[in-house]
Amino acid sequence: MNTVKTVRELRAAVARARGEGKRIAFVPTMGNLHSGHAALVTKAAQRADFVVASIFVNPLQFGANEDLDKYPRTLAADQQRLLDAGCHLLFAPTVQEMYPDGMAVQTRVSVPQLSEGLCGASRPGHFEGVATVVSKLFNMVQPDLAVFGEKDYQQLAVIRAMVRDLNMPIQIIGEPTVRAEDGLALSSRNGYLTPEQRTTAPVVYRTLRQIADALGRGQVDFDALIEQGKADLVAAGLRPDYLEVRHAVNLRPATFGDRDLVILVAAYLGNTRLIDNLYLHLDEKTA
Ligand code: PAF
């Protein structure tokens, strides 16, 4: 696996692979890779002949008080993980390479509506930063397909909408969340948790499961379920940012009769913001 740092080298390597008739897959990441990322690369390798991954901690998607500076940078370990998972080329650009004229004058890509609410409410500008960097990376790599984790559910919805709206000829594939044995969704930010917080953290997934089970049993009072779920998070020592039941495709607040639902949560454990979600299809009996 080669690592390149410039757009020029990236384009040359991808052009060589294309010249050999290869189908190109792309997995964008911010590094500090775990088995969830490895699953994205494995999926990419199953669907294409040449897998490109990127590692770029994108300043444009971090708010002023967020963890940009302390976001873990672990390039050597990441390279090994990517190689093991079947990646052929790593693009690891500098901020200067990605934003040569600075970020203030950078053209932005914004996906209204889907970017509002949920994580967009407490992270203003976040999804604009994500959509902008992902469209830049897509233009640099020009892949046939790209793989994203379903853990960042709203991000995946924003990217699907961007690709559709801007007619980008790229197939977007969502890969199910990888969880620890106790249910905690794998995330680079789990590394911020103290051992004690780590034992508490699975309450996030348990809360989602409890709401999903109640909905599956035919419970229709969304508000009561959400209030109970928030109370459970607070009782465990977390500070819920949001806990909501939404329509799984358009992310509008769920209404009675919706069958494809997603329950989404963000909650602080100490200073660490954990997010998770659970998709749920209600059959005719329960909807
Ligand atoms: O999900 C992430 O790691 C990032 O938001 C992404 C998609 C790599 C864009 O910076």
Side-chain angles (χ1 to χ4, degrees):
M1 183 188 76
N2 265 344
T3 300
V4 294
K5 289 187 174 299
T6 64
V7 180
R8 205 186 142 103
E9 294 166 295
L10 168 72
R11 284 198 198 282
V14 174
R16 265 196 303 279
R18 273 236 185 271
E20 292 163 11
K22 290 182 174 159
R23 191 171 149 79
I24 314 291
F26 179 45
V27 181
T29 81
M30 298 203 301
N32 193 230
L33 306 180
H34 48 68
S35 3
H37 296 106
L40 306 182
V41 174
T42 305
K43 172 60 71 64
Q46 285 163 358
R47 299 285 183 98
D49 313 299
F50 189 78
V51 180
V52 182
S54 64
I55 294 181
F56 179 61
V57 183
N58 172 35
L60 204 60
Q61 71 188 71
F62 284 77
N65 300 317
E66 293 184 355
D67 54 348
L68 173 64
D69 293 337
K70 73 168 186 163
Y71 201 86
R73 272 94 167 160
T74 52
L75 185 63
D78 292 347
Q79 282 169 317
Q80 189 57 50
R81 210 177 254 283
L82 288 170
L83 179 67
D84 293 346
C87 179
H88 300 97
L89 178 69
L90 169 61
F91 178 48
T94 59
V95 173
Q96 168 68 22
E97 182 71 11
M98 288 300 286
Y99 300 114
D101 300 321
M103 287 184 295
V105 294
Q106 167 66 49
T107 302
R108 309 284 175 108
V109 178
S110 96
V111 182
Q113 219 167 59
L114 279 171
S115 299
E116 288 150 22
L118 304 171
C119 284
S122 52
R123 304 188 71 187
H126 170 67
F127 288 114
E128 194 176 81
V130 170
T132 300
V133 81
V134 171
S135 51
K136 282 171 72 74
L137 290 164
F138 279 178
N139 284 331
M140 292 167 179
V141 178
Q142 301 191 342
D144 297 290
L145 62 96
V147 189
F148 292 83
E150 286 176 353
K151 177 175 164 281
D152 296 305
Y153 197 93
Q154 189 177 11
Q155 166 173 287
L156 180 55
V158 164
I159 287 162
R160 284 191 197 284
M162 174 186 87
V163 163
R164 200 174 52 238
D165 293 350
L166 297 182
N167 304 87
M168 296 177 170
I170 301 170
Q171 185 192 359
I172 302 299
I173 297 173
E175 177 67 11
T177 303
V178 177
R179 300 182 179 282
E181 254 175 46
D182 56 13
L184 180 66
L186 297 194
S187 163
S188 301
R189 291 192 167 97
N190 293 352
Y192 300 151
L193 300 173
T194 64
E196 197 192 336
Q197 288 171 334
R198 176 61 190 80
T199 58
T200 304
V203 70
V204 174
Y205 182 59
R206 273 204 307 279
T207 303
L208 293 176
R209 277 247 66 95
Q210 274 157 11
I211 297 173
D213 291 348
L215 290 169
R217 285 193 305 269
Q219 168 74 285
V220 289
D221 188 346
F222 294 154
D223 291 345
L225 290 172
I226 291 301
E227 282 324 302
Q228 182 58 53
K230 283 186 179 165
D232 292 345
L233 291 171
V234 170
L238 284 83
R239 267 183 305 122
D241 179 7
Y242 62 78
L243 175 61
E244 295 194 37
V245 186
R246 297 271 182 128
H247 187 281
V249 178
N250 57 33
L251 284 185
R252 298 220 177 89
T255 51
F256 181 72
D258 284 343
R259 303 230 172 104
D260 283 312
L261 301 175
V262 59
I263 312 158
L264 303 114
V265 63
Y268 287 92
L269 185 46
N271 293 325
T272 306
R273 189 167 178 279
L274 301 174
I275 64 168
D276 201 351
N277 66 80
L278 191 57
Y279 168 82
L280 174 73
H281 177 78
L282 297 180
D283 62 26
E284 257 170 82
K285 285 197 307 295
T286 46

